[in-house]
Amino acid sequence: MAEGSRPGPLAFGQVVIGPPGSGKSTYCQAMREFLARLGRRVAVVNLDPANEAVPGPCALDVGELVTLPDVMASLGLGPNGGLLYCMEYLEANSDWLRERLRGLRGHYLLFDCPGQVELYTHHQALKNVFAQLAKWNFRLAAVHLVDSHYCTDPGKFISVLCTSLSTMLHVELPHVNVLSKMDLIEHYGKLAFNLDYYTEVLDLSYLVDHLASDPFFRNFRRLNEKLVEVIEDYSLVSFVPLNVQDKQSMRQVMQAVDKANGYSFGDREQRSLEALMSAAVGADFHFSSTLAVQEKYVQSQDKAVEEEVMDL
């Protein structure tokens, strides 16, 4: 095998994806600091050519290769077309990425990715970049961030479920879906169901019934039923709640990702009984974290009701 085609030593990391405003860059920096405190060598890689203000240290920036403003100016493309071109350009220049990543071997990598949804549902460029990383011996898990405020709108939540499912099927990486900004959920409005209903994606027929109480969505009941059937037939989508200000919440996400990309079972991880047990637990391992957020949310709602009564 030629020297340049040999895979490098085994490395682990996360590709952080999700729509604009879901908190990807904030998550990358918070997770970098959290893992660094645990003793891991961590580096953030910015793969978003539109991200001109990374909020923290960045070991590698795709802006050295291509930027969205330059592409828009030189090719006369809009933001969406320009971003697709940037990802195709990155795919075509994968040797540049590989050469830069060689200097980060031995690090746990956090790839901060663009926010355009099309890149993760049907466009091939970024998916091919992830596949190339796998050939270079990177063991990656996709961390898909979704803003938790979508839980307060049943119609939008069904849309989020469809997008998450489509992303999981297209990206073809071990996947962890995350409800971000849980510290703000009490400000978003009242939830129709308990929080675990949304994180575990329980019987969605209740959500369809709830939508039917709205005159607008009543006309689309049959469509919603079919969408829900698709989601439940695959039975793949669930969420881990995340508050980047809370260490326990960060730990729960870290454990889910370590299980997904295999870091928990690698020779870099201490083979303690606690580490193995935390990795072996199934989908309900983050129940305590969800319950804590739910209790906080209920207390906030009760306080709001009391204030309304006092005003009366």
Side-chain angles (χ1 to χ4, degrees), residues 6-78:
R6 291 176 182 171
L10 191 64
F12 293 90
Q14 308 174 21
V15 292
V16 184
I17 63 180
S22 57
K24 296 185 295 298
S25 295
T26 300
Y27 168 85
C28 286
Q29 296 303 327
M31 185 57 73
R32 179 190 63 81
E33 295 174 4
F34 183 78
L35 295 177
R37 286 197 295 268
L38 296 179
R40 295 191 197 180
R41 297 177 64 196
V42 190
V44 174
V45 176
N46 177 40
L47 289 185
D48 185 0
N51 193 352
E52 298 178 336
V54 180
C58 182
L60 174 59
D61 189 353
V62 72
E64 299 172 14
L65 175 70
V66 61
T67 66
L68 180 60
D70 289 344
V71 167
M72 292 173 60
S74 60
L75 300 180
L77 296 173

Side-chain angles (χ1 to χ4, degrees), residues 220-228:
F220 302 97
R221 183 184 180 98
R222 184 62 177 162
L223 173 62
N224 290 326
E225 288 175 346
K226 289 300 181 182
L227 290 174
V228 162

Side-chain angles (χ1 to χ4, degrees), residues 60 102 181 218 220:
L60 174 59
R102 280 201 179 103
K181 306 180 184 178
R218 189 180 302 133
F220 302 97

Side-chain angles (χ1 to χ4, degrees), residues 50-177:
N51 193 352
E52 298 178 336
V54 180
C58 182
L60 174 59
D61 189 353
V62 72
E64 299 172 14
L65 175 70
V66 61
T67 66
L68 180 60
D70 289 344
V71 167
M72 292 173 60
S74 60
L75 300 180
L77 296 173
N80 293 333
L83 194 52
L84 296 179
Y85 178 88
C86 288
M87 292 300 98
E88 292 171 354
Y89 190 81
L90 174 62
E91 180 190 2
N93 291 273
S94 59
D95 289 344
W96 174 89
L97 180 62
R98 185 176 192 180
E99 185 63 31
R100 296 301 191 278
L101 289 176
R102 280 201 179 103
L104 297 176
R105 285 293 182 176
H107 288 73
Y108 185 97
L109 298 181
L110 300 169
F111 293 90
D112 187 358
C113 299
Q116 191 170 355
V117 175
E118 295 93 320
L119 292 170
Y120 313 112
T121 56
H122 59 272
H123 196 259
Q124 297 293 321
L126 202 52
K127 171 186 174 181
N128 293 339
V129 171
F130 297 157
Q132 193 64 57
L133 288 168
K135 292 179 181 178
W136 299 336
N137 237 3
F138 285 91
R139 298 294 178 261
L140 303 173
V143 179
H144 184 207
L145 299 183
V146 176
D147 197 315
S148 60
H149 86 267
Y150 289 117
C151 294
T152 61
D153 187 320
K156 291 181 179 179
F157 186 66
I158 289 179
S159 176
V160 162
L161 292 174
C162 291
T163 302
S164 298
L165 177 59
S166 178
T167 300
M168 294 175 76
L169 296 175
H170 181 74
V171 172
E172 297 180 351
L173 284 175
H175 215 88
V176 177
N177 293 304

